[in-house]
Amino acid sequence: LVQGRLFSSQDRKGTLQVAVINRAMAEKFWPGQNPIGKRVTPGNGTDWWEVVGVVGNVRSFGLVANTPYEMYRSMDQQPFPSMTVVLRTQTDDPTSIVQSARQIVAGIDPSVPVTAVQTMEEVVSASVGQPRLLSALSALFGGLAGLLAMVGIYGVTAHNVRRQRREFGIRLALGAEPGAVQTLVVKRGGAVAAAGVVLGAFGALLLSQSLQSMLNDVQPTDPTVFGLNALMVVAVSVAACYLPARAAGRVDPMVILRDN
């Protein structure tokens, strides 16, 4: 309950027709207003129901579906031909009370059938089954793509650093400190990595909307995801620059110059 009240024993046949709406319906039809006391009609213009309460949104059609505009009616004022009953149990196995529930319903009215019995876990699993599969596949292929990208970045960057060994040898021969050479190499690699991160983030922003249908309560432009990916790229690039430069800084400059 967000606002107003829920149904009570006074909401029965012959009394004021009332309804409880969800938050989405209240924000749609009475934005910025108090919906309590407003009236709605099923469309015929003769029956009017007064809004007495507002409740939170429920994803009745699955976790991936948009929240519908929902209105609740009292069973005492408007009986339905069928209904769904939710039972909360204290046992580890909720299916153990199914037979008892059937006996209770039969004791009230033997002609009422009890069908389609499911646990809440089964209901949720059926709702998220396909999105969960798509998410798992996306995570798998995304992880493989990220691994290949990391290997590629490291290989290309390390190769470019090794091509500069002659320059390192000249700098060392002229008196440069190995630490200064390593810092220079890391700075160059960091500049290239930063440019790649900016271009990659821009491309990811353009393509991120295609993932919107697979996400729930998470934006495709989640800054945490973008930040972690950028950090990984920069870290791999720096490592790819530092390790070869560190090895080159430990070698005799004359040996490096002869090799090149």
Side-chain angles (χ1 to χ4, degrees), residues 30-150:
W30 297 286
Q33 304 180 41
N34 183 4
I36 304 301
K38 303 293 185 180
R39 298 195 306 165
V40 295
T41 177
N44 53 25
T46 57
D47 295 330
W48 289 90
W49 304 328
E50 183 175 311
V51 177
V52 295
V54 179
V55 295
N57 296 328
V58 178
R59 295 184 177 180
S60 305
F61 301 102
L63 296 179
V64 298
N66 293 329
T67 303
Y69 307 133
E70 290 186 322
M71 179 174 61
Y72 300 88
R73 298 278 286 123
S74 171
M75 283 290 295
D76 293 330
Q77 291 187 337
Q78 186 180 16
F80 297 98
S82 63
M83 65 187 305
T84 300
V85 177
V86 181
L87 300 180
R88 182 170 61 182
T89 68
Q90 300 295 330
T91 63
D92 295 333
D93 182 15
T95 60
S96 61
I97 68 164
V98 173
Q99 187 59 34
S100 299
R102 292 181 184 275
Q103 294 175 357
I104 293 174
V105 173
I108 298 174
D109 188 345
S111 65
V112 176
V114 178
T115 61
V117 179
Q118 293 178 292
T119 64
M120 190 58 67
E121 183 178 5
E122 292 172 345
V123 174
V124 175
S125 297
S127 174
V128 302
Q130 183 177 1
R132 183 174 292 169
L133 175 61
L134 294 176
S135 298
L137 292 176
S138 298
L140 174 62
F141 290 118
L144 292 176
L147 179 62
L148 292 176
M150 296 299 104

Side-chain angles (χ1 to χ4, degrees), residues 196-234:
V197 167
V198 172
L199 293 176
F202 179 73
L205 286 173
L206 296 179
L207 298 175
S208 61
Q209 294 302 320
S210 61
L211 298 176
Q212 183 66 52
S213 60
M214 299 172 56
L215 302 176
N216 301 300
D217 300 327
V218 177
Q219 295 300 320
T221 56
D222 189 348
T224 303
V225 176
F226 275 74
L228 289 177
N229 279 276
L231 184 62
M232 289 176 57
V233 171
V234 172

Side-chain angles (χ1 to χ4, degrees), residues 165-166 168-174 248 250-260:
R165 292 186 67 196
R166 183 175 180 84
F168 303 156
I170 294 175
R171 290 179 180 272
L172 292 172
L174 294 176
R250 292 179 175 180
V251 180
D252 187 352
M254 297 306 296
V255 175
I256 298 179
L257 294 177
R258 290 195 193 100
D259 292 342
N260 289 273

